[in-house]
Amino acid sequence: MQAKKRYFILLSAGSCLALLFYFGGLQFRASRSHSREEHSRRNGLHHPSPDHFWPRFPDALRPFVPWDQLENEDSSVHISPRQKRDANSSIYKGKKCRMESCFDFTLCKKNGFKVYVYPQQKGEKIAESYQNILAAIEGSRFYTSDPSQACLFVLSLDTLDRDQLSPQYVHNLRSKVQSLHLWNSGRNHLIFNLYSGTWPDYTEDVGFDIGQAMLAKASISTENFRPNFDVSIPLFSKDHPRTGGERGFLKFNTIPPLRKYMLVFKGKRYLTGIGSDTRNALYHVHNGEDVVLLTTCKHGKDWQKHKDSRCDRDNTEYEKYDYREMLHNATFCLVPRGRRLGSFRFLEALQAACVPVMLSNGWELPFSEVINWNQAAVIGDERLLLQIPSTIRSIHQDKILALRQQTQFLWEAYFSSVEKIVLTTLEIIQDRIFKHISRNSLIWNKHPGGLFVLPQYSSYLGDFPYYYANLGLKPPSKFTAVIHAVTPLVSQSQPVLKLLVAAAKSQYCAQIIVLWNCDKPLPAKHRWPATAVPVIVIEGESKVMSSRFLPYDNIITDAVLSLDEDTVLSTTEVDFAFTVWQSFPERIVGYPARSHFWDNSKERWGYTSKWTNDYSMVLTGAALYHKYYHYLYTHYLPASLKNMVDQLANCEDILMNFLVSAVTKLPPIKVTQKKQYKETMMGQTSRASRWADPDHFAQRQSCMNTFASWFGYMPLIHSQMRLDPVLFKDQVSILRKKYRDIERL
């Protein structure tokens, strides 16, 4: 009887378990199926299945879901409580965002890379640093005032300082941002931030939900940095110049490249709150001779309440040294973390040609996506502080010189002004969007840098004048002469026809282009002389001065010989100038030279055409340069400068010299000309009255100052170098001279 009872109980229990598994399993499969379908639907991969019984309605409130919200019931069991807690913090929302998941590429492919800045709201205060950022964007070629044309959006609300104790802190930023009708959960938005968090913790939380927006942030950690989405920018002070900026302090290369001090640092030591343990240990390495590492406790209101036994001694030693004197007389500069990962010491060291020694573990270095910092800095480990002196002493002098030179390039290319920091940020984002024409590491880390090498021009480095040596290429062997014609053709003895014949006879001439910017109709073909090279006549549509520098498809050579219609040059002079240009393909090489000077009485730049020992410009009335500068002139310079040139019908040659000198950081090259050149150029030609006109000269003075204002500094550089033909004017047989006609004329 007992056996029957046991059998009945076991049978009942088995039946219950079977029913439980059946109904529970059915519900579990339905849940799994629903989760898979929901995931597929949100990713555009929805396919109907046999167990798809219930209708699915599109979620109109969520057009896009970030990766970190795609967790289904299966994967959620693997999320730790800490991860769930962090997911609710604004710093972690969208942590898995990447360009492919949180950026809408269609806006950029439709209208190109255009950036829209929200209009400033009434009553909202904007710090000067953020005003400089917005001004840099609005003055760039990327800016658009039409949001429908924009690919990227930047807030007018000041997000730079998110330290709640700061007077620059903007309150209620979360609600203000959410109320923007274009916000769209932050998608295709870029947020600039220098400071986040507050004493004593200094977290990286910016204080509001950034959603799917990108961060251009200083002092960001590698843990919170989203690769190929965020941009790490340097911490810069409120006094950092908006445009231009000072050049680096490496005036000449000293061999050996060693200075008075081997390693220096001067800064704060933190006694309370979060701070750098490294700074508290620097006294162990300081020797007071070639390693001078100084800290002070004397900062903040309550420093005396918290001072330790070393404070008085450290403060006394700290006052003995001048920071700038140390900075400019040191080979290496220590850059340890402070309250935050980044510090002002970083940019100060770069400018001073003092090789930064980075001691800030976990800091995503500025523009690390494109800059190879191993070529300009020593990246150390905070835990190995005591090994730093012996490590840097072991670096070879050749390496030290290379590091110092690279600091100067990086400073001037990307960090010397707010404008360069902002433009570098935008160019990096543009490279991500248009990957097929993005710049490679060589372009970013070698002169002239990524801001001046526009990938829209070409994806082949050999098409730029800066990389011939790197690629093992020889400069071009032919040139295209571009003659700018503005007066009607009424006589066969006009200078333009003689110039055309002289240029065509050059052994290096591939073709001649006549840009007809004259109001009169084009002359008949038979009016042009017969030449051995093709002559192409292009009628300018707008007939403005800037049209002479348009990147015409008809120009088939890299080298361009730019000529005014009344220029008088012999074939010999053309040949000689071109052979000189082949040695300096990145510069302007030519004949008519001019110079600039600072007028103390008027406190402005002056322009002079006097023939002196030095010069800073070679006018494009008779000059050779690379055709890439046509593209830069057209697409890099702002419309305001080009419109000014066109309205004045003047100064286009000065603007081209400004541009090339700004890119190369070098002066142009003047070649020797025949004795009568000056008198011939000023003869009774169509332009004689223009050159002698006082208004014309005054306009050029004004242009100089307008151009210098836009560049933020004076890019022109004086030179006294002139290149003569071999044996030119020497008392030897004329038969031994290669360019005989130059001396004869």
Side-chain angles (χ1 to χ4, degrees):
M1 185 70 180
Q2 290 180 350
K4 288 183 178 180
K5 286 182 178 180
R6 286 197 299 271
Y7 179 79
F8 179 78
I9 292 171
L10 287 173
L11 183 62
S12 300
S15 302
C16 290
L17 284 173
L19 290 171
L20 180 64
F21 274 112
Y22 176 78
F23 290 108
L26 181 62
Q27 184 177 3
F28 179 72
R29 283 194 301 272
S31 175
R32 285 285 302 271
S33 174
H34 171 74
S35 178
R36 283 196 302 267
E37 288 183 19
E38 182 68 10
H39 180 89
S40 299
R41 180 182 63 80
R42 289 179 175 179
N43 287 275
L45 302 174
H46 176 61
H47 299 285
S49 58
D51 55 352
H52 182 224
F53 300 112
W54 300 100
R56 301 286 182 257
F57 298 98
D59 186 357
L61 299 179
R62 285 189 174 274
F64 177 84
V65 181
W67 290 1
D68 53 341
Q69 295 180 24
L70 292 177
E71 307 290 348
N72 57 30
E73 292 179 4
D74 292 325
S75 59
S76 64
V77 298
H78 302 295
I79 298 178
S80 68
R82 180 182 177 182
Q83 287 174 313
K84 289 181 179 179
R85 186 170 62 252
D86 289 338
N88 295 322
S89 174
S90 64
I91 191 173
Y92 283 92
K93 285 188 177 180
K95 188 171 182 179
K96 292 185 178 179
C97 269
R98 298 296 183 268
M99 294 296 288
E100 294 77 12
S101 61
C102 294
F103 193 88
D104 185 357
F105 289 84
T106 58
L107 298 176
C108 308
K109 292 177 180 177
K110 180 180 178 182
N111 302 312
F113 187 66
K114 297 294 182 182
V115 184
Y116 174 76
V117 177
Y118 283 83
Q120 186 173 351
Q121 299 180 13
K122 286 185 178 181
E124 292 292 343
K125 294 182 180 180
I126 301 180
E128 185 178 357
S129 294
Y130 198 60
Q131 287 178 343
N132 290 341
I133 288 177
L134 299 184
I137 297 173
E138 291 171 352
S140 73
R141 68 182 188 280
F142 302 121
Y143 175 70
T144 179
S145 58
D146 183 359
S148 66
Q149 298 290 315
C151 163
L152 190 68
F153 300 82
V154 176
L155 304 178
S156 63
L157 296 165
D158 191 344
T159 57
L160 278 192
D161 195 339
R162 301 304 299 154
D163 185 339
Q164 294 182 21
L165 300 180
S166 170
Q168 307 294 341
Y169 181 80
V170 177
H171 295 274
N172 302 320
L173 192 57
R174 179 178 181 180
S175 60
K176 292 175 182 178
V177 170
Q178 294 293 339
S179 65
L180 299 173
H181 70 284
L182 297 173
W183 175 243
N184 191 25
S185 298
R187 205 170 189 193
N188 285 51
H189 280 67
L190 176 65
I191 295 172
F192 287 90
N193 176 256
L194 293 182
Y195 307 99
S196 60
T198 191
W199 189 89
D201 298 323
Y202 291 97
T203 65
E204 292 187 30
D205 191 344
V206 295
F208 69 99
D209 184 6
I210 65 170
Q212 300 162 24
M214 291 181 283
L215 271 176
K217 181 170 172 52
S219 307
I220 191 168
S221 67
T222 53
E223 180 182 0
N224 293 321
F225 180 76
R226 295 168 294 181
N228 296 313
F229 192 71
D230 293 333
V231 180
S232 177
I233 63 174
L235 182 66
F236 59 87
S237 71
K238 62 180 181 180
D239 299 321
H240 205 57
R242 185 178 71 84
T243 59
E246 293 185 26
R247 296 194 66 175
F249 290 106
L250 183 62
K251 304 302 181 185
F252 52 88
N253 293 316
T254 54
I255 305 296
L258 301 177
R259 293 174 168 177
K260 177 181 177 181
Y261 304 107
M262 176 59 68
L263 179 66
V264 301
F265 172 76
K266 190 177 183 183
K268 299 175 182 177
R269 182 163 67 87
Y270 302 105
L271 302 173
T272 58
I274 190 172
S276 171
D277 292 334
T278 305
R279 296 195 183 198
N280 294 330
L282 292 183
Y283 74 98
H284 290 296
V285 184
H286 169 78
N287 63 20
E289 296 177 0
D290 65 340
V291 177
V292 180
L293 308 177
L294 308 168
T295 58
T296 180
C297 311
K298 196 175 180 179
H299 58 89
K301 297 179 180 178
D302 302 324
W303 71 272
Q304 288 184 323
K305 294 181 181 179
H306 305 285
K307 73 176 186 177
D308 56 23
S309 59
R310 284 191 8 246
C311 277
D312 291 334
R313 184 177 59 215
D314 287 352
N315 292 344
T316 301
E317 188 78 358
Y318 185 89
E319 297 296 334
K320 291 181 181 178
Y321 293 85
D322 178 75
Y323 176 61
R324 288 186 63 84
E325 188 273 335
M326 290 171 54
L327 190 67
H328 296 288
N329 289 281
T331 306
F332 294 92
C333 287
L334 201 66
V335 184
R337 77 166 72 211
R339 294 288 197 195
R340 300 174 174 87
L341 291 171
S343 74
F344 296 127
R345 300 293 181 271
F346 179 69
L347 289 187
E348 291 167 352
L350 274 187
Q351 184 182 12
C354 186
V355 180
V357 178
M358 313 303 301
L359 284 187
S360 185
N361 292 10
W363 181 23
E364 188 71 26
L365 294 181
F367 304 138
S368 55
E369 186 175 330
V370 296
I371 293 178
N372 181 0
W373 283 109
N374 290 318
Q375 296 179 1
V378 176
I379 303 174
D381 190 319
E382 291 177 292
R383 297 166 296 183
L384 303 177
L385 170 65
L386 300 181
Q387 297 181 17
I388 293 297
S390 59
T391 299
I392 62 176
R393 291 183 197 279
S394 67
I395 300 176
H396 195 273
Q397 293 180 4
D398 291 350
K399 177 66 174 176
I400 293 175
L401 180 60
L403 289 169
R404 290 182 63 192
Q405 290 173 333
Q406 191 68 0
T407 62
Q408 300 303 274
F409 160 67
L410 294 176
W411 164 259
E412 294 182 10
Y414 307 120
F415 298 105
S416 62
S417 68
V418 175
E419 180 185 55
K420 289 179 181 177
I421 293 172
V422 171
L423 291 179
T424 303
T425 302
L426 297 181
E427 294 281 8
I428 289 173
I429 296 172
Q430 182 182 217
D431 274 5
R432 296 173 183 166
I433 297 168
F434 303 103
K435 289 183 179 180
H436 60 292
I437 57 170
S438 61
R439 283 153 280 219
N440 60 26
S441 180
L442 175 65
I443 292 175
W444 282 107
N445 292 279
K446 188 173 178 61
H447 182 80
L451 299 188
F452 285 123
V453 178
L454 306 186
Q456 294 82 1
Y457 175 74
S458 176
S459 58
Y460 173 54
L461 292 183
D463 288 336
F464 298 91
Y466 318 109
Y467 308 111
Y468 292 139
N470 295 89
L471 300 175
L473 300 175
K474 291 183 178 180
S477 58
K478 296 285 185 179
F479 68 80
T480 296
V482 179
I483 302 175
H484 186 227
V486 295
T487 56
L489 192 62
V490 296
S491 169
Q492 292 301 112
S493 61
Q494 281 182 229
V496 65
L497 299 181
K498 295 179 180 179
L499 179 63
L500 191 151
V501 171
K505 287 182 179 179
S506 171
Q507 59 181 312
Y508 306 112
C509 184
Q511 61 175 354
I512 295 176
I513 293 176
V514 178
L515 178 60
W516 190 257
N517 266 357
C518 178
D519 294 332
K520 302 295 182 181
L522 277 173
K525 289 185 179 180
H526 70 272
R527 299 288 301 279
W528 301 103
T531 59
V533 299
V535 176
I536 303 169
V537 182
I538 300 175
E539 186 168 14
E541 294 181 5
S542 55
K543 301 189 187 303
V544 293
M545 296 301 292
S546 292
S547 64
R548 71 183 302 177
F549 297 138
L550 287 173
Y552 294 104
D553 293 335
N554 306 79
I555 302 176
I556 59 174
T557 63
D558 284 345
V560 173
L561 172 61
S562 178
L563 298 166
D564 283 343
E565 63 179 1
D566 56 353
T567 299
V568 179
L569 283 181
S570 67
T571 302
T572 301
E573 288 172 307
V574 171
D575 286 347
F576 174 55
F578 180 70
T579 57
V580 171
W581 178 85
Q582 287 180 306
S583 298
F584 304 94
E586 75 282 7
R587 303 204 221 177
I588 297 177
V589 176
Y591 288 100
R594 299 290 185 267
S595 189
H596 74 286
F597 65 94
W598 178 254
D599 190 333
N600 282 318
S601 61
K602 298 180 180 178
E603 294 188 344
R604 64 199 302 262
W605 294 106
Y607 170 87
T608 177
S609 59
K610 293 180 180 179
W611 285 40
T612 58
N613 288 332
D614 63 0
Y615 63 93
S616 57
M617 291 172 279
V618 167
L619 304 186
T620 54
L624 283 141
Y625 50 79
H626 197 282
K627 73 173 181 179
Y628 175 60
Y629 291 121
H630 277 196
Y631 189 88
L632 264 188
Y633 185 99
T634 303
H635 296 285
Y636 178 81
L637 294 176
S640 59
L641 295 188
K642 291 179 287 187
N643 290 339
M644 175 184 176
V645 164
D646 295 338
Q647 290 172 5
L648 296 175
N650 195 358
C651 303
E652 82 288 351
D653 47 359
I654 298 177
L655 183 54
M656 178 61 87
N657 273 270
F658 267 70
L659 175 63
V660 177
S661 291
V663 174
T664 62
K665 306 294 188 295
L666 295 168
I669 301 291
K670 175 171 172 49
V671 288
T672 301
Q673 60 218 32
K674 56 184 177 287
K675 300 174 185 176
Q676 299 95 328
Y677 187 81
K678 180 180 179 182
E679 291 76 13
T680 307
M681 281 290 290
M682 299 303 293
Q684 297 301 316
T685 65
S686 59
R687 292 166 60 106
S689 59
R690 190 180 113 173
W691 288 111
D693 184 1
D695 290 339
H696 175 83
F697 192 82
Q699 286 175 352
R700 294 172 80 77
Q701 298 261 21
S702 178
C703 288
M704 295 266 301
N705 289 276
T706 302
F707 299 161
S709 175
W710 183 83
F711 279 91
Y713 70 109
M714 171 51 73
L716 298 179
I717 301 170
H718 284 102
S719 175
Q720 294 182 347
M721 184 174 73
R722 288 170 174 78
L723 294 185
D724 287 350
V726 178
L727 302 179
F728 176 54
K729 293 185 179 179
D730 284 354
Q731 299 301 315
V732 297
S733 169
I734 195 70
L735 297 176
R736 293 175 57 189
K737 299 186 178 185
K738 185 175 182 180
Y739 301 100
R740 308 169 196 169
D741 292 342
I742 292 182
E743 185 170 353
R744 283 179 176 174
L745 293 173

